[in-house]
Amino acid sequence: MAQVPQRFFDALAVRTWCGLALSALGRAREDIDAINVYPVADGDTGTNLYLTVESAAAAVEAVFSGHEAGDAGPGRGPSLAEAARAMAHGALIGARGNSGTILAQLLRGMAQVLAERGEGTRAEETGNEGTRAEETGIEGARTEAPELRRALRRAADSARQAVAHPVEGTVLTVASAAADAADRARGGCDAVARAAYEGARTALAATPGQLPALERAGVVDAGGHGLVTVLAALVETLTGEIPAQAPGPYTRVGDTEGECPSGEGGPAFEVIYLLEAEDAAVARLRQRLDALGDSLVVVGGDGLWNVHVHVDDAGAAVEAGVEAGRPYRIRITHFGQGDVHTTGGGRPPRERAQRAVVAVVPGEGLAGLYTEAGARAVLARPGEPPASGELAEAVRRAHAREVVLLPNDAELRHTAAAAADQVRAEGVRVALIPTRSAVQGIAALAVHEPGRRFDEDVVAMTSAAGATRYAEVAVAERQAWTTAGICQAGDVLGLVDGDVAVIGSDVTATATTVLDRMLAAGGELVTLVLGDDAPEEVAGHLETRVREAYLAVDTVVYRGGRQGSLLLIGVE
């Protein structure tokens, strides 16, 4: 489905941009990771960018949720200033690695200008015709174009200032080119975004000629490629069109993230922390950290900073932060050996289990079922999907050498993949089985055997999940176009393999139609998972239907609790 363009760069545009950028980085993450070889071949640039934008998007969603739950009135949302500041703050506290830290400063630079302009612009939703910005004392989209140009310029300049030793042929070069192209653009915000994207894309293609490491590889910069991906999402936000992809083909990308190379023989540790400190103390901190190592990037302001540096003496880097203010969320990574956690004193580590299963489940009832089956359940409440950091932490808490991860939702595929990569970097063997529904996860768990070889177990679980067709019955929240026609708010929807197949008015009748369609292709076992709001009679009716109309087909019923949908159906 095409993205509905935003007329103005307002709070809703910020929300849409963050969501589209997150999705785009999710699709590109593995490719960017695979070509991240410089200054340290740790293969995490795409993941770091994804995690940074994920944090920004979550912060923006939180601001919108706060307004929806408050006294702003129906359909009212945050101002542009509130949304922009939330985006910047979320990126700052969630920034990972050189790439994420620089991207956080780019977003902060943009947010500073947007907040200055957007104090009076408040988001408002309008029916079935998409969204718009209700302007209070501010002119329309065309007159906002100068502010978007200025925001892109502030972003590029502030990111360059945050890097201790800028190098051309990096993401900084790409950001500056985007700002230069935006300055020359004429027209509304859509024209400015297109110009910035094309300028960045052209600059990215030229990076091999600016940096010898890239020229030797014959390719472009990975951090710059990530920025082009984010700008492509901005174009899609403002035009509804997906622009051409970043330059290719290419095989490997030298990723300097704007810094002098560490390379082989460089510092042993990456140190990252958030810091509460005054500006003067941060200025002294920059000087001290610059003398300790390289790849120094310090971003933020207004008393909160994100510090990133590569050093040989990690303790000295943390001590410098203590002298400057209050460091927290300290993360130390030994290149080639994953994370070094500073907790636990000198105690010997607890022995790891050999294997564990971590699964995302949509309701308390299913969480209990999965736990009884030996899995570690991560509860995803309706409208609150877990972030990759939460999934990564669940995998860590499983404390196993081998972990099978079941996302149980097609929308969580990129999130789960990013979580898996985070923990793999720490030495844990993680297999992601792309389950799209909790009933597929149930099928996978049914054949799980911890005693057999990991690869064999993963293959068996993947096969069982793939052989399970899935469906759900839910109530439409609003009027919408679907693959089965137009639905109205309150209609009962039957979705088969993720697509709307039936639109009805009765839950039991719709569920029966969906089940009949699924069993028309055959099956041996039907799994029904009832939500709290499902009619009491629906399970009995479906069990009777299977028993009377389909010979040799068994039925099993579970209570899912508050799982979002009325009913989940699986057919194996």
Side-chain angles (χ1 to χ4, degrees):
M1 185 184 303
Q3 171 66 35
V4 177
Q6 303 288 325
R7 278 188 62 203
F8 308 108
F9 198 86
D10 56 8
L12 289 165
V14 172
R15 185 189 205 182
T16 302
W17 181 30
C18 288
L20 290 174
L22 184 63
S23 296
L25 286 170
R27 293 189 296 271
R29 183 188 60 81
E30 290 184 357
D31 290 339
I32 297 174
D33 279 349
I35 56 179
N36 168 210
V37 297
Y38 187 87
V40 178
D42 48 0
D44 63 357
T45 293
T47 297
N48 287 339
L49 291 168
Y50 179 88
L51 294 173
T52 302
V53 174
E54 182 183 55
S55 182
V60 173
E61 288 301 320
V63 167
F64 271 84
S65 296
H67 275 265
E68 290 165 2
D71 300 325
R76 299 294 293 233
S79 68
L80 172 60
E82 292 169 318
R85 287 173 181 145
M87 173 185 70
H89 181 75
L92 176 66
I93 65 174
R96 296 284 292 271
N98 263 2
S99 53
T101 307
I102 291 175
L103 179 61
Q105 189 68 4
L106 288 166
L107 295 179
R108 177 179 171 81
M110 289 193 69
Q112 288 173 334
V113 175
L114 297 175
E116 292 168 2
R117 177 64 171 173
E119 288 288 357
T121 308
R122 190 167 296 280
E124 178 182 351
E125 297 185 5
T126 57
N128 304 314
E129 297 180 2
T131 57
R132 67 179 177 87
E134 180 182 62
E135 302 287 63
T136 55
I138 293 178
E139 297 180 22
R142 187 173 294 274
T143 55
E144 287 190 18
E147 280 66 48
L148 183 55
R149 285 195 290 268
R150 194 157 59 89
L152 290 164
R153 172 58 62 194
R154 178 82 64 86
D157 291 347
S158 62
R160 188 171 288 270
Q161 292 165 6
V163 175
H165 301 287
V167 172
E168 298 307 323
T170 68
V171 63
L172 299 178
T173 304
V174 175
S176 294
D180 291 343
D183 285 341
R184 296 189 294 268
R186 295 295 177 266
C189 286
D190 55 344
V192 172
R194 284 185 187 277
Y197 168 75
E198 291 297 340
R201 189 165 175 260
T202 300
L204 177 62
T207 54
Q210 297 172 294
L211 199 60
L214 301 182
E215 187 174 22
R216 285 193 296 271
V219 290
V220 297
D221 176 68
H225 175 56
L227 178 58
V228 170
T229 302
V230 171
L231 290 173
L234 179 62
V235 174
E236 186 178 359
T237 298
L238 294 170
T239 68
E241 301 172 3
I242 302 175
Q245 298 303 302
Y250 50 86
T251 53
R252 304 185 66 171
V253 174
D255 181 6
T256 67
E257 311 302 355
E259 277 295 317
C260 293
S262 295
E264 295 184 4
F269 296 97
E270 177 184 59
V271 179
I272 306 173
Y273 50 80
L274 293 179
L275 178 70
E276 293 178 355
E278 298 298 325
D279 290 3
V282 171
R284 292 191 296 271
L285 175 66
R286 289 178 190 268
Q287 294 178 350
R288 181 167 178 185
L289 292 179
D290 192 26
L292 286 175
D294 62 26
S295 295
L296 174 61
V297 186
V298 181
V299 303
D302 301 320
L304 180 62
W305 308 82
N306 189 306
V307 179
H308 172 282
V309 67
H310 293 176
V311 294
D312 282 320
D313 189 344
V318 175
E319 181 183 349
V322 173
E323 292 178 0
R326 187 179 77 88
Y328 60 103
R329 291 195 189 178
I330 300 168
R331 187 181 184 90
I332 302 173
T333 301
H334 189 295
F335 293 121
Q337 295 186 14
D339 286 350
V340 177
H341 298 287
T342 56
T343 58
R347 294 175 297 174
R350 177 166 58 92
E351 181 66 23
R352 288 184 178 272
Q354 182 60 35
R355 189 172 307 162
V357 177
V358 175
V360 181
V361 294
E364 295 88 345
L366 277 176
L369 173 66
Y370 271 74
T371 301
E372 289 176 6
R376 179 178 289 271
V378 179
L379 188 61
R381 294 178 175 84
E384 299 179 18
S388 59
E390 184 179 350
L391 292 185
E393 188 57 32
V395 173
R396 293 187 188 104
R397 288 197 302 267
H399 204 67
R401 297 183 181 90
E402 303 165 341
V403 176
V404 179
L405 182 57
L406 306 174
N408 291 338
D409 186 337
E411 297 298 320
L412 286 177
R413 179 167 60 92
H414 296 313
T415 300
D421 274 0
Q422 289 180 66
V423 185
R424 287 188 188 114
E426 300 164 17
V428 179
R429 192 178 184 190
V430 183
L432 172 62
I433 298 178
T435 48
R436 295 172 173 266
S437 170
V439 292
Q440 288 189 323
I442 292 172
L445 266 180
V447 300
H448 170 52
E449 292 186 15
R452 65 184 164 197
R453 291 178 59 249
F454 185 61
D455 291 341
E456 293 176 354
D457 198 28
V458 171
V459 168
M461 295 176 72
T462 302
S463 297
T468 302
R469 284 161 286 148
Y470 64 96
E472 66 175 300
V473 177
V475 176
E477 296 181 354
R478 62 183 66 86
Q479 183 188 62
W481 288 91
T482 76
T483 51
I486 301 176
C487 70
Q488 305 295 329
D491 282 349
V492 180
L493 307 179
L495 296 89
V496 178
D497 293 335
D499 293 322
V500 176
V502 181
I503 300 175
S505 57
D506 179 78
V507 173
T508 301
T510 301
T512 302
T513 302
V514 169
L515 183 59
D516 285 339
R517 290 194 182 188
M518 297 179 74
L519 286 173
E524 299 177 355
L525 176 65
V526 172
T527 300
L528 304 176
V529 183
L530 300 176
D532 280 348
D533 296 329
E536 288 294 329
E537 69 276 6
V538 66
H541 178 85
L542 294 177
E543 285 184 287
T544 300
R545 175 66 177 169
V546 172
R547 185 171 59 251
E548 294 179 351
Y550 302 97
L551 299 177
V553 178
D554 296 323
T555 305
V556 59
V557 180
Y558 301 109
R559 292 282 176 179
R562 292 174 293 176
Q563 61 184 23
S565 54
L566 300 174
L567 175 68
L568 300 177
I569 303 174
V571 174
E572 301 176 47

